[in-house]
Amino acid sequence: MVLASTSKVVLGCVAFGIFWVLAVFPSVPFMPVGRTAGSLLGAMLMVLFRVITPEDAYAAIDLPIIGLLFGTMVVSIFLERADMFKYLGNLLQWKSRGSKDLLFRVCIVSAIASALFTNDTCCVVLTEFILKVARQNNLPPQPFLLALATSSNIGSAATPIGNPQNLVIAVESGISFGQFLLGVFPAMIVGVLTNAAILLCYFWKYLSVEPTDQQERGNATGPEVVADDEVTSHRFTPARMSHVSSLNPDDFDCVSEPIIRSTSVNASGGGDLRSRSVNSETDMQFSIKSLRSSSMSHEMVEVSTVPSVLEGASSRKFTRTASQQRSVIIEDAPPSPPDAAAANGEKDKELPEVVEKRWRVLVWKTAVYLITLGMLIALLMGLNMSWTAITAALVLLALDFTDAQACLEKVSYSLLIFFCGMFITVDGFNKTGIPNTMWELVEPYSRIDSARGVALLGVVILILSNVASNVPTVLLLGTRVAASAAAISPASERKAWLILAYVSTVAGNLTLLGSAANLIVCEQARRAQFFGYNLSFWSHLRFGVPSTIVVTAIGLLIVSSY
């Protein structure tokens, strides 16, 4: 393909450059509009500059990829409501044998979870939990945050639903879920183990320090913790970050001082448990508390201060800091001795209803897990990935027996719109002829029928993924790399797609800006209530460069031999 006219080339480069700047640096001072608006702006400029026609712009939007993204988002939302990620977090601490064992578990659990539930979802729901575990054990948070971010990226390379660029590759290449898994999974396992070994070697001295010494070291040097006054409590859903305060009472057990939670809970306990925005176990606990208190009072007690500590096994105390104006809810106050017998009598009367609600939640959770398992089996059988994910999402919405609006509001529509704008922008940039011309210069030296060609192809993908981001890199290089490999053999074409999937994903570990999962971990850690930690760009770079180079090299050897 020859270059387009000079005006189209110049204007196309301007539109793509604006898109790239806003996608990589969404808060630039001169236009802090964010990635989604930047994507739409790039698409609009491509049409206004007549680089691409309006009809071609609509045709450039890949609806199967949009459908697959939507379906996986909805399934992830239901899995989070069914406490799947809470169970994964508990698995990290189960019979842990020290700091090194905990670090290894973070690598394995985050990698497997990312392969099944996308890397962004894994990082959203596990970051704050890992911070709490590290602080509880007086361990430095940095190695565990790096383990989460880097292992999530590596693990997501194993399946077509692990990350957005793999979704694009799976749809464009027609490679089945099973073939994708067989081709990349061995490289993923070896890559995660290698990354864990590098982490252990890099942080061995810090992880070997005794807890008391570690605490003294932290006090002496001053950990990078954000002040409590500068952070707010956030609850993040798998599909997007939402500012809903967490109501999970289990979180309070991990904190060494009283915590405030701003919320209003209806003590009468009406409504379906699954319609709430928090997870089902929290809903159940609030329902049980509401049933216990219904015979005594139908009003919620709100106070600004708590004068004394409530005694008793079931009592809880919530206080308020000076920097936060929040209402405090006193729950489970122990009944006075004269009312104890009456309270027990009411409890016995309400027990059948409590048991019934508990069973309803258990049956609902089981249905969510079975439907998700059925979706994975259907994908392994080679069924259409987009319609399989959409079907699973619609079945979950139907079985919820509630208005779907609350669940659908958590879907990251901004990400879907970002993809639509990106498809149009990249297609317009392709029509300028620049990507094809540049590929023709590199293509003779990057054929995958030689070790040198595979190495050069890996370097090109690695660099371009960090310069232009991984999804645009896949859109720009995918068909060209596949066409070059198809001239060798059909097996080489599939191998080229798998190499592109693995390298473009692992390339996100090179820098903090290389992957959205890295930014999620960084931002989550900085904003975490009472456990805030600032993961800097340079601290990530010092570990990311050697780890990415080694893991990429090992993965290339394994994937290219498939």
Side-chain angles (χ1 to χ4, degrees):
M1 179 180 177
V2 296
L3 287 174
S5 62
T6 304
S7 60
K8 277 191 175 183
V9 170
V10 174
L11 294 175
C13 289
V14 170
F16 185 80
I18 292 175
F19 159 75
W20 178 82
V21 170
L22 295 178
V24 178
F25 308 103
S27 299
V28 291
F30 61 87
M31 192 178 292
V33 297
R35 290 186 175 90
T36 302
S39 174
L40 292 177
L41 179 61
M44 181 194 69
L45 291 177
M46 285 292 182
V47 176
L48 290 180
F49 293 159
R50 297 191 177 184
V51 179
I52 186 174
T53 64
E55 293 76 15
D56 290 339
Y58 284 120
I61 299 175
D62 200 322
L63 291 180
I65 295 175
I66 300 298
L68 187 54
L69 274 172
F70 172 80
T72 54
M73 285 180 187
V74 174
V75 172
S76 296
I77 290 170
F78 274 92
L79 286 172
E80 195 247 357
R81 289 175 56 191
D83 298 323
M84 169 62 76
F85 300 101
K86 178 182 176 182
Y87 299 147
L88 289 176
N90 293 336
L91 182 62
L92 294 176
Q93 283 190 297
W94 184 65
K95 295 185 178 180
S96 177
R97 298 182 178 180
S99 58
K100 301 178 183 65
D101 176 53
L102 180 60
L103 184 68
F104 183 77
R105 290 189 186 196
V106 170
C107 292
I108 298 298
V109 170
S110 59
I112 296 176
S114 297
L116 298 176
F117 313 119
T118 76
N119 54 350
D120 293 352
T121 298
C122 177
C123 292
V124 164
V125 298
L126 290 181
T127 299
E128 190 166 358
F129 180 86
I130 288 175
L131 274 175
K132 291 177 182 179
V133 173
R135 294 298 189 187
Q136 277 184 315
N137 294 277
N138 292 321
L139 296 171
Q142 183 181 345
F144 299 96
L145 295 176
L146 288 174
L148 174 62
T150 56
S151 298
S152 295
N153 285 328
I154 298 172
S156 68
T159 63
I161 61 175
N163 54 61
Q165 61 268 20
N166 281 11
L167 296 177
V168 174
I169 290 174
V171 173
E172 294 291 333
S173 65
I175 299 175
S176 67
F177 191 95
Q179 290 176 328
F180 202 107
L181 187 65
L182 290 175
V184 184
F185 185 78
M188 183 274 283
I189 289 295
V190 176
V192 170
L193 295 177
T194 303
N195 186 65
I198 297 174
L199 275 168
L200 288 172
C201 294
Y202 193 85
F203 293 102
W204 186 271
K205 179 176 66 175
Y206 298 97
L207 296 175
S208 299
V209 176
E210 294 296 327
T212 54
D213 297 337
Q214 182 64 51
Q215 188 174 17
E216 293 175 0
R217 179 190 294 252
N219 294 334
T221 59
E224 295 178 279
V225 181
V226 182
D228 290 346
D229 293 346
E230 299 175 3
V231 295
T232 56
S233 177
H234 294 275
R235 179 175 178 81
F236 298 87
T237 64
R240 69 178 181 182
M241 302 181 203
S242 65
H243 304 278
V244 183
S245 299
S246 174
L247 299 177
N248 193 343
D250 294 336
D251 293 344
F252 301 132
D253 297 334
C254 300
V255 185
S256 58
E257 61 184 44
I259 302 177
I260 320 168
R261 296 290 180 192
S262 74
T263 180
S264 63
V265 180
N266 188 352
S268 60
D272 194 303
L273 295 175
R274 298 184 299 269
S275 64
R276 299 182 187 267
S277 62
V278 294
N279 60 55
S280 57
E281 285 194 359
T282 303
D283 295 337
M284 176 55 65
Q285 293 178 21
F286 275 105
S287 297
I288 294 173
K289 292 169 185 175
S290 301
L291 287 171
R292 289 177 178 173
S293 60
S294 61
S295 62
M296 295 180 289
S297 174
H298 293 285
E299 298 179 354
M300 179 179 64
V301 181
E302 292 192 0
V303 295
S304 59
T305 58
V306 180
S308 62
V309 178
L310 298 175
E311 303 289 342
S314 63
S315 65
R316 291 184 182 274
K317 173 188 174 185
F318 295 166
T319 60
R320 180 177 65 183
T321 60
S323 64
Q324 298 169 316
Q325 301 296 327
R326 301 184 180 181
S327 62
V328 181
I329 303 172
I330 304 178
E331 304 176 60
D332 289 354
S336 58
D339 298 334
N344 290 333
E346 294 293 335
K347 179 180 176 181
D348 293 339
K349 293 179 181 178
E350 295 160 353
L351 185 59
E353 185 175 354
V354 172
V355 173
E356 180 184 355
K357 289 182 178 292
R358 191 182 298 275
W359 273 103
R360 286 173 57 190
V361 171
L362 180 61
V363 171
W364 180 78
K365 281 187 180 183
T366 304
V368 172
Y369 298 149
L370 289 177
I371 292 171
T372 305
L373 180 62
M375 182 190 75
L376 296 176
I377 294 174
L379 293 174
L380 286 172
M381 292 174 62
L383 299 182
N384 183 280
M385 285 187 286
S386 179
W387 281 107
T388 298
I390 292 175
T391 301
L394 294 179
V395 170
L396 288 172
L397 289 171
L399 290 181
D400 202 33
F401 293 106
T402 58
D403 189 349
Q405 181 180 355
C407 180
L408 293 178
E409 284 178 349
K410 297 183 180 182
V411 173
S412 181
Y413 296 103
S414 61
L415 178 62
L416 300 179
I417 296 173
F418 171 81
F419 264 77
C420 292
M422 182 179 61
F423 285 139
I424 298 172
T425 306
V426 173
D427 189 63
F429 188 60
N430 281 330
K431 290 185 182 300
T432 64
I434 294 177
N436 195 68
T437 301
M438 296 179 64
W439 173 249
E440 288 176 352
L441 298 175
V442 180
E443 191 269 339
Y445 309 101
S446 58
R447 296 173 66 86
I448 64 172
D449 54 352
S450 66
R452 185 178 64 179
V454 171
L456 180 59
L457 179 62
V459 172
V460 171
I461 298 171
L462 186 68
I463 295 174
L464 195 58
S465 294
N466 280 276
V467 172
S469 188
N470 41 28
V471 179
T473 295
V474 168
L475 292 173
L476 290 171
L477 286 182
T479 54
R480 296 174 175 84
V481 172
S484 175
I488 303 173
S489 68
S492 298
E493 181 182 4
R494 182 173 66 246
K495 185 187 301 182
W497 281 113
L498 296 179
I499 289 175
L500 180 61
Y502 182 82
V503 178
S504 64
T505 300
V506 176
N509 287 339
L510 190 69
T511 68
L512 189 62
L513 301 176
S515 169
N518 298 344
L519 296 175
I520 289 173
V521 170
C522 178
E523 188 68 10
Q524 277 270 60
R526 187 181 68 84
R527 291 173 176 244
Q529 184 80 0
F530 299 101
F531 298 95
Y533 183 83
N534 182 23
L535 182 64
S536 67
F537 177 88
W538 295 110
S539 63
H540 187 284
L541 186 69
R542 283 193 296 268
F543 172 77
V545 171
S547 172
T548 303
I549 293 174
V550 174
V551 172
T552 301
I554 294 175
L556 276 175
L557 292 175
I558 298 174
V559 175
S560 60
S561 62
Y562 170 65

